[in-house]
Amino acid sequence: MTINQLITSFIQKSIEIGDLDPLDAVYTVNKLLSLLDLENYEKEVVNKENLSRLDILDALLEYAVENNRIEDMTASRDVLSAEIMDLVTPRPSEVNETFWKNYKKSPKLATDTFFSRSKANNYIKTREISKNIAFAYESDFGELEITINLSKPEKNPKEIALQAKAKKSVNYPSNFLVVENEGFKGHLTHPGRSNHRIIRMDLAGDPWGFQYSPYAYYNEHSIFLSIEHRPMNVGPEAIRNLLEIISQFPHYFVGSNAGLPIVGGSILSHDHYQGGNYDFPIQEAAYTYKFSFEEFTEVEAGIVEWPMSVIRLRSRNRDQISKAADKVMAQWREYKDE
């Protein structure tokens, strides 16, 4: 396909999907011409209907590489890809308006719509995620889920060398979780986020954001992030926030990374939690034994039969379960196994 055909197809597909109003077609064409450094365009009818919009996006990126618009590097493709998809993604205010309008009907409708949009505009890397490997293993503790993340693209030696030479003084956005990523163009050491959108929400009077993970580990992999820049707080306040989040999104689970720098790849420099629409095997695990709290009579508690030490707390009383969880965590912090 010629570049004119690709541009025409991209516009037509976006109108068909519902991401672009026909009245905005000429405007969007001109914005796309600017991104591709093109001075001329003539609308060409395309008969091929089998190409998806993401296929067309790939072809536009190939054109940009072949015509020296961008370098043939993962980072360069990522930045331009996000810029192109931003043209057919509503502004943050519009996305938020739609989300909360749907939320009044159903929290699930709100997340379903936001999730679908985040996939359609290639913010969630569905094709890359499909490369991940997942399988179940029947263990002595029941079924365990094993996943191998293959979705994040590998960098070639040239990119690695260029990243090593990149200026270390650039610190905006300060990390990948802060709200300032929304709409950020990106560069060699920071992913393109032009097409990124964050839902603004309130947690007990504190402004927070809700977004999806571009490289999901499970269905509707979500991130809840503090708008204020502050380190992670894994304590009583975190427990209260987690309970508030699942009250607002009862069809989701939500959890916190450990407040330990040696555990996983969590960004402890910014307060955030992770959730999603998924059931994990640990939720079905049986108790090894149960115990109770004298001061929290409405809390069910017990040790879960699991390869690691797990205490499960259950209650319909938010205040009691919050305090019980705080007590368990306080005991754990003081525990020594010398």
Side-chain angles (χ1 to χ4, degrees):
M1 294 174 70
T2 67
I3 186 59
N4 286 340
Q5 289 175 324
L6 289 173
I7 293 173
T8 302
S9 296
F10 183 82
I11 298 300
Q12 288 178 343
K13 285 288 183 182
S14 297
I15 292 173
E16 291 170 11
I17 292 170
D19 285 348
L20 185 65
D21 191 299
L23 290 176
D24 296 324
V26 172
Y27 170 87
T28 307
V29 165
N30 287 328
K31 290 294 184 181
L32 189 50
L33 294 178
S34 176
L35 287 176
L36 297 173
D37 283 343
L38 289 169
E39 295 180 350
N40 296 306
Y41 166 71
E42 185 175 338
K43 185 176 180 179
E44 294 187 22
V45 178
V46 182
N47 295 321
K48 293 183 178 180
E49 299 292 338
N50 57 333
L51 289 180
S52 70
R53 187 168 63 175
L54 293 182
D55 291 330
I56 299 167
L57 175 64
D58 290 341
L60 289 170
L61 296 175
E62 286 301 323
Y63 171 88
V65 170
E66 292 169 3
N67 289 272
N68 300 315
R69 167 62 181 83
I70 60 172
E71 291 192 67
D72 188 11
M73 296 192 300
T74 301
S76 302
R77 289 172 179 266
D78 178 69
V79 168
L80 182 58
S81 169
E83 287 185 293
I84 292 173
M85 296 310 297
D86 182 45
L87 299 178
V88 290
T89 303
R91 289 176 178 270
S93 58
E94 297 171 301
V95 173
N96 273 264
E97 181 181 3
T98 299
F99 183 90
W100 291 111
K101 186 182 293 184
N102 288 332
Y103 185 89
K104 290 180 180 179
K105 300 176 183 177
S106 160
K108 188 175 185 302
L109 174 63
T111 57
D112 283 351
T113 305
F114 183 42
F115 183 62
S116 295
R117 180 177 296 283
S118 299
K119 290 189 295 182
N121 78 347
N122 203 40
Y123 169 71
I124 297 177
K125 309 295 185 183
T126 54
R127 295 177 297 176
E128 288 83 352
I129 292 169
S130 66
K131 300 174 185 176
N132 292 345
I133 297 172
F135 58 93
Y137 170 69
E138 290 295 337
S139 75
D140 295 338
F141 301 92
E143 184 180 273
L144 300 182
E145 291 182 358
I146 312 299
T147 59
I148 303 172
N149 189 345
L150 301 174
S151 59
K152 288 191 177 180
E154 295 288 338
K155 292 181 172 58
N156 61 41
K158 179 182 178 181
E159 286 184 88
I160 295 171
L162 288 172
Q163 284 189 339
K165 295 178 181 178
K167 294 180 180 179
K168 297 289 192 289
S169 60
V170 178
N171 60 356
Y172 179 88
S174 56
N175 60 57
F176 296 156
L177 292 179
V178 295
V179 70
E180 286 80 10
N181 282 283
E182 188 176 46
F184 185 67
K185 179 179 178 179
H187 47 69
L188 192 61
T189 59
H190 199 101
R193 290 290 182 262
S194 298
N195 58 339
H196 179 33
R197 301 294 183 263
I198 300 174
I199 301 301
R200 305 309 198 273
M201 58 186 292
D202 179 274
L203 288 186
D206 193 21
W208 278 66
F210 158 51
Q211 65 176 63
Y212 288 109
S213 173
Y215 297 99
Y217 293 169
Y218 44 79
N219 186 43
E220 296 180 47
H221 186 164
S222 310
I223 299 172
F224 299 89
L225 56 99
S226 169
I227 300 298
E228 178 187 343
H229 289 215
R230 62 183 182 229
M232 276 193 71
N233 173 6
V234 185
E237 184 179 346
I239 296 296
R240 290 192 294 270
N241 284 340
L242 295 175
L243 293 172
E244 176 60 25
I245 289 170
I246 59 170
S247 294
Q248 293 190 35
F249 301 100
H251 57 298
Y252 273 13
F253 82 90
V254 67
S256 172
N257 289 80
L260 301 170
I262 60 172
V263 178
S266 181
I267 301 174
L268 298 182
S269 61
H270 195 80
D271 209 2
H272 73 286
Y273 313 113
Q274 298 186 62
N277 189 2
Y278 197 72
D279 294 324
F280 290 97
I282 193 172
Q283 294 170 241
E284 304 300 324
Y287 286 111
T288 301
Y289 67 91
K290 292 185 177 182
F291 61 91
S292 60
F293 298 91
E294 290 184 7
E295 64 271 53
F296 309 124
T297 56
E298 295 183 47
V299 176
E300 173 191 293
I303 303 296
V304 177
E305 188 175 0
W306 201 247
M308 296 171 288
S309 298
V310 178
I311 293 177
R312 177 186 292 150
L313 306 178
R314 280 180 172 159
S315 180
R316 294 188 180 276
N317 186 316
R318 185 191 294 198
D319 181 62
Q320 284 204 10
I321 197 170
S322 177
K323 290 177 179 177
D326 183 35
K327 181 172 182 176
V328 170
M329 291 175 70
Q331 293 285 329
W332 174 75
R333 288 191 187 96
E334 297 299 318
Y335 176 73
K336 298 287 189 296
D337 187 10
E338 297 176 356

